[in-house]
Amino acid sequence: MGELNRKGLRPGLYAITDSQLLTADRLLPAVAAALRGGAVLVQYREKTAPQPERLRQARDLVALCNNARVPLIINDDPELARRSGAAGVHLGQSDSSLVNARQQLGEHAIIGATCHADLALAASADRDGADYLAFGRFFNSNTKPNAPAADTSVLARARQFGRPVTAIGGITADNGEVLIRAGADLLAVVGGLFDGDPATIEGRARQFARLFATHHPLFSSSVHQES
């Protein structure tokens, strides 16, 4: 579990924004609510807004997340991550190469990699120095309905790489427990978190925090050591 402590990564809720759910005026209040509820990592995902607006929003989110001591990750855009001062970038299989992103952002950056349900992709990302490995989708997803399905067994098998394991795809507070028990260190959540007002978002984030406190082995081992 020591790998989770690298670069500020901790087990818990990985909050991913979506402009279809969060209009520009709702973005900051929604992320602030997720942070109050206990989100441990935030990803800014915006593919359609003009570049100046994306840069402004990313910088605003960097300030918000830095104040909460939570890393902000940029989806698919190493250059935006560099210009905004974000903690890192998440790369899909069709995005910039991990090696190029590392050269652009430096060794300090957090770089995550989409691996779908493929351990060969995970092995490649591991060799290239990914800081976390993301698998999914595990449930039906409105964000990426055509993404290939993944079985929960891939989470346990991915532990061999010694990297934090992220689960994504249709995750809610009602179905997240099985993924944590299967080996997920981070639950990446979009609609299951941000489809609501700030009070609802904060409440859902607290539900995810309780799931990790109850079921993640890092927290369980801490409880055993204290007792």
Side-chain angles (χ1 to χ4, degrees), residues 82-180:
R82 186 190 67 79
R83 293 182 65 195
S84 65
V89 67
H90 180 88
L91 300 176
Q93 289 299 315
S94 60
D95 302 320
S96 304
S97 79
L98 201 153
V99 171
N100 289 342
R102 180 66 70 197
Q103 291 174 344
Q104 190 171 0
L105 297 177
E107 289 302 317
H108 65 283
I110 298 171
I111 301 180
T114 293
C115 303
H116 300 300
D118 192 335
L119 290 178
L121 293 178
S124 177
D126 176 53
R127 287 192 300 271
D128 289 343
D131 293 295
Y132 69 82
L133 307 172
F135 298 90
R137 62 174 171 86
F138 290 98
F139 307 102
N140 291 332
S141 169
N142 292 327
T143 305
K144 291 192 174 183
N146 298 320
D151 188 270
T152 57
S153 63
V154 73
L155 299 172
R157 287 182 285 148
R159 308 300 302 180
Q160 66 184 281
F161 301 111
R163 307 276 184 182
V165 174
T166 299
I168 190 168
I171 299 172
T172 69
D174 293 326
N175 60 30
E177 177 183 336
V178 66
L179 300 175
I180 300 171

Side-chain angles (χ1 to χ4, degrees), residues 5-224:
N5 296 321
R6 296 179 69 252
K7 303 181 181 179
L9 291 174
R10 296 175 285 153
L13 171 63
Y14 184 178
I16 301 182
T17 70
D18 183 343
S19 58
Q20 292 184 345
L21 290 173
L22 301 174
T23 55
D25 61 315
R26 292 188 59 222
L27 178 63
L28 289 178
V31 173
L35 292 169
R36 288 194 302 272
V40 300
L41 193 63
V42 175
Q43 182 184 131
Y44 173 59
R45 185 176 185 273
E46 169 56 75
K47 296 179 179 288
T48 60
Q51 184 65 19
E53 182 179 350
R54 295 176 69 230
L55 179 59
R56 178 184 58 78
Q57 290 182 342
R59 284 176 170 167
D60 288 344
L61 287 172
V62 166
L64 182 66
C65 290
N66 283 350
N67 189 58
R69 298 184 177 180
V70 168
L72 177 75
I73 304 298
I74 303 295
N75 179 266
D76 295 354
D77 193 336
E79 178 61 17
L80 180 59
R82 186 190 67 79
R83 293 182 65 195
S84 65
V89 67
H90 180 88
L91 300 176
Q93 289 299 315
S94 60
D95 302 320
S96 304
S97 79
L98 201 153
V99 171
N100 289 342
R102 180 66 70 197
Q103 291 174 344
Q104 190 171 0
L105 297 177
E107 289 302 317
H108 65 283
I110 298 171
I111 301 180
T114 293
C115 303
H116 300 300
D118 192 335
L119 290 178
L121 293 178
S124 177
D126 176 53
R127 287 192 300 271
D128 289 343
D131 293 295
Y132 69 82
L133 307 172
F135 298 90
R137 62 174 171 86
F138 290 98
F139 307 102
N140 291 332
S141 169
N142 292 327
T143 305
K144 291 192 174 183
N146 298 320
D151 188 270
T152 57
S153 63
V154 73
L155 299 172
R157 287 182 285 148
R159 308 300 302 180
Q160 66 184 281
F161 301 111
R163 307 276 184 182
V165 174
T166 299
I168 190 168
I171 299 172
T172 69
D174 293 326
N175 60 30
E177 177 183 336
V178 66
L179 300 175
I180 300 171
R181 287 181 173 273
D185 298 305
L186 292 154
L187 295 183
V189 187
V190 187
L193 175 66
F194 286 122
D195 187 11
D197 60 20
T200 300
I201 293 167
E202 182 176 349
R204 287 174 179 163
R206 293 188 186 280
Q207 286 182 283
F208 282 107
R210 287 194 292 270
L211 286 180
F212 277 93
T214 304
H215 302 294
H216 191 276
L218 185 63
F219 294 102
S220 299
S221 61
S222 299
V223 171
H224 291 323

